[in-house]
Amino acid sequence: MRNLKRFFFKHRILFLLAGILNMIIGNPFLGDIFHYGIIPDLFFSVIFILGIYAISQKKRHIVIALVLVIPIFIGIWSSHIYQTEEPHVIGQLFGALFFGFVIGILIKFIFNEKEITREVIFAAIVVYLLMAMMWTFAYIILEYFYPGSFSMPEGLSRDTFQYLYFSFVTITTLGYGDIAPLTQKASSLVILEAVIGQMYLVIVVAWLVGMHVSRRSRIG
């Protein structure tokens, strides 16, 4: 039992990565089977739980994460009960803060490590994906307070997954153009995500390569 617990804790970041990838892949397909509105929130709820577990090495991190997650669950799930958008937006606001907190902890973990391990690689990937998810909530919140901030193709619903898709298109600088910012506020968020996403890749890749070269030079 102790070995199993140690195994799960050692691979806690990998489980978070798996949860994110399952959401990206599974959400569109499950949405065709079940009530679509609840599916993204189910996936996000699992990711919030896995996110807490991923940063559970220190108790204060768990406490802060729980303080952020409780309003998330109340806001997101009460919106399905009362059929109103306000609690959902509040939950997404705390969701963005939660992702920002987890990103900060994982970045600290990456830069504090002395050698490249699988956990460091997984953490670097997870941070990049969480950035896109954090901006997803930012876009939804902006659209709520400033309707019409983004253009959508005709017949496409303004649901969470569409903003998630737009966020990943933005952070990877693909720029398909099917969804686009229409206001200066939206454009500023898009610019920030694209620039920070590219800066993150440059800095982290340079750090990992430098750490690898330094380790090899010490061994040699």
Side-chain angles (χ1 to χ4, degrees), residues 5 14 28 42 52 57 89 107 164 182 191 194-195 202 208 219:
K5 184 178 179 180
L14 175 60
L42 282 173
I52 295 175
Q57 199 164 7
V89 172
I107 287 178
L164 180 69
L182 295 179
I191 291 170
V195 171
V202 171
L208 294 177
I219 295 174

Side-chain angles (χ1 to χ4, degrees), residues 112-172:
N112 281 344
E113 290 296 292
K114 302 301 180 184
E115 61 181 53
I116 301 176
T117 63
R118 284 179 296 180
E119 285 70 32
V120 171
I121 299 297
F122 292 148
I125 298 172
V126 165
V127 167
Y128 190 67
L129 298 178
L130 288 181
M131 283 182 178
M133 296 174 70
M134 181 178 68
W135 253 277
T136 298
F137 286 161
Y139 294 142
I140 294 173
I141 293 168
L142 181 67
E143 179 66 26
Y144 175 79
F145 287 105
Y146 300 96
S149 293
F150 299 92
S151 66
M152 293 278 181
E154 187 175 350
L156 195 65
S157 61
R158 295 176 179 268
D159 54 54
T160 302
F161 191 80
Q162 296 304 328
Y163 287 102
L164 180 69
Y165 157 76
F166 173 69
S167 183
F168 273 101
V169 168
T170 300
I171 200 169
T172 56

